[in-house]
């Protein structure tokens, strides 16, 4: 996949050069670099078989990240606190999508009103707290969609995007005290998802390259471009 990076509090420099973070950062970027358009199509079609009302690439991307991130390194749905009041499996608001001993990762395809909370969760996992902690990280990664991916991947119109995340960083500078990198996923190069009528959620080819056959189902600081062209 192609993606954009935005570095907050020297996050990118630290993640690429500090031995504490290098392996975790490489793990995330290697997985993103490995995801091809064909992988997204296959994962999306599989998601629609399980859940016919799946209309965006959200399920596909989440599923590929879960499948490809090393389970020996990354804890899934990691609780931030030890207090039972905040550790219920239903209390996802107090959990990180992925975490290691030093890195907190949130995959954020939810409503734009949750942007501030998505940014604060890596802070909660990094800072000391009067509530007993289950994890003590020191860096954070947010994976989200660019505006272009939001459109091509048929995400809900209310989804917060990479560009919107960036607007929060300056006002929250004194609150977001740990290094963070925000990753904005670019749209697929060879397909998009239909957004209307019987084509809603259906894989449609772009740029003159046919996508695999699929019948509609009747009934999901500074930045630069990074990532492989796969």
């Amino acid at each position: 996949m192609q993606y954009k990076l935005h570095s907050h509090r020297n996050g990118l420099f630290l993640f690429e050069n500090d031995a504490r973070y290098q392996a975790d950062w490489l793990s995330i970027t290697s997985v993103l670099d490995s995801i091809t358009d064909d992988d997204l199509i296959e994962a999306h079609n599989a998601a629609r078989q399980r859940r016919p009302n799946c209309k965006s690439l959200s399920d596909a991307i989440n599923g590929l990240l879960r499948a490809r991130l090393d389970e020996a390194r990354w804890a899934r749905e990691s609780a931030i606190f030890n207090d039972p009041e905040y550790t219920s499996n239903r209390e996802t608001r107090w959990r990180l999508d992925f975490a290691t001993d030093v890195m907190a990762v949130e995959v954020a395809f939810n409503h734009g009103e949750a942007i501030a909370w998505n940014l604060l969760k890596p802070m909660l996992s990094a800072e000391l707290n009067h509530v007993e902690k289950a994890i003590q990280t020191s860096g954070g990664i947010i994976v989200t969609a660019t505006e272009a991916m939001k459109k091509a991947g048929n995400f809900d119109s209310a989804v917060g995007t990479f560009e919107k995340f960036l607007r929060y960083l300056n006002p929250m500078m004194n609150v977001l005290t740990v290094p963070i990198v925000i990753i904005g996923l670019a749209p697929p190069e060879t397909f998009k998802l239909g957004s209307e009528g019987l084509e809603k959620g259906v894989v449609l080819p772009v740029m003159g390259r046919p996508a695999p056959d699929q019948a509609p189902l009747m009934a999901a600081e500074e930045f630069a471009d990074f990532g492989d062209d796969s």
Side-chain angles (χ1 to χ4, degrees):
M1 297 184 74
Q2 297 264 349
Y3 45 89
K4 293 180 176 181
L5 302 177
H6 184 94
S7 180
H8 174 76
R9 291 195 178 273
N10 299 311
L12 183 59
F13 176 82
L14 291 171
F15 296 170
E16 290 182 335
N17 295 283
D18 190 321
R20 292 175 297 168
Y21 305 113
Q22 284 175 324
D24 289 347
W25 177 247
L26 182 61
S27 175
I28 292 288
T29 57
S30 294
V31 167
L32 292 175
D33 290 342
S34 76
I35 297 174
T36 67
D37 283 7
D38 287 341
D39 291 333
L40 289 171
I41 291 170
E42 181 179 357
H44 178 66
N45 287 342
R48 280 170 62 80
Q49 290 296 323
R50 296 189 302 272
R51 189 165 64 87
N53 64 346
C54 176
K55 306 301 183 186
S56 80
L57 285 177
S58 174
D59 283 18
I61 296 169
N62 276 298
L64 287 166
L65 290 175
R66 287 180 176 276
R68 297 189 182 185
L69 284 174
D70 182 4
E71 290 189 29
R73 172 174 294 277
W74 295 97
R76 279 120 168 100
E77 299 294 332
S78 179
I80 298 173
F81 300 111
N82 264 333
D83 190 319
E85 184 175 352
Y86 305 102
T87 57
S88 166
N89 287 333
R90 295 186 296 274
E91 284 279 8
T92 57
R93 74 191 68 186
W94 304 109
R95 292 179 176 273
L96 299 164
D97 288 328
F98 303 97
T100 67
D101 291 341
V102 297
M103 192 72 79
V105 177
E106 281 292 291
V107 182
F109 299 136
N110 41 1
H111 197 287
E113 290 184 354
I115 288 175
W117 181 245
N118 285 323
L119 288 167
L120 284 172
K121 285 173 75 175
M123 294 300 308
L124 288 172
S125 73
E127 299 287 358
L128 298 176
N129 199 292
H130 67 277
V131 179
E132 183 183 357
K133 298 289 292 296
I135 192 171
Q136 193 70 46
T137 60
S138 56
I141 298 171
I142 308 290
V143 180
T144 189
T146 60
E147 286 287 342
M149 169 61 101
K150 175 179 171 179
K151 181 177 180 180
N154 197 38
F155 288 84
D156 187 88
S157 60
V159 163
T161 60
F162 173 78
E163 291 82 358
K164 292 178 181 177
F165 268 86
L166 302 192
R167 296 182 60 226
Y168 281 68
L169 297 179
N170 281 339
M172 297 180 71
M173 178 65 72
N174 292 337
V175 177
L176 304 176
T177 57
V178 302
I180 296 173
V181 172
I182 301 175
I183 301 178
L185 302 180
E189 294 184 335
T190 61
F191 76 94
K192 64 180 180 179
L193 298 188
S195 59
E196 297 180 353
L198 295 180
E199 290 187 339
K200 192 170 185 178
V202 174
V203 174
L204 302 174
V206 297
M207 298 178 64
R209 174 179 164 183
D213 292 338
Q214 178 190 31
L217 295 181
M218 305 292 292
E221 294 166 63
E222 299 174 357
F223 64 81
D225 291 327
F226 285 77
D228 292 342
D229 288 332
S230 54

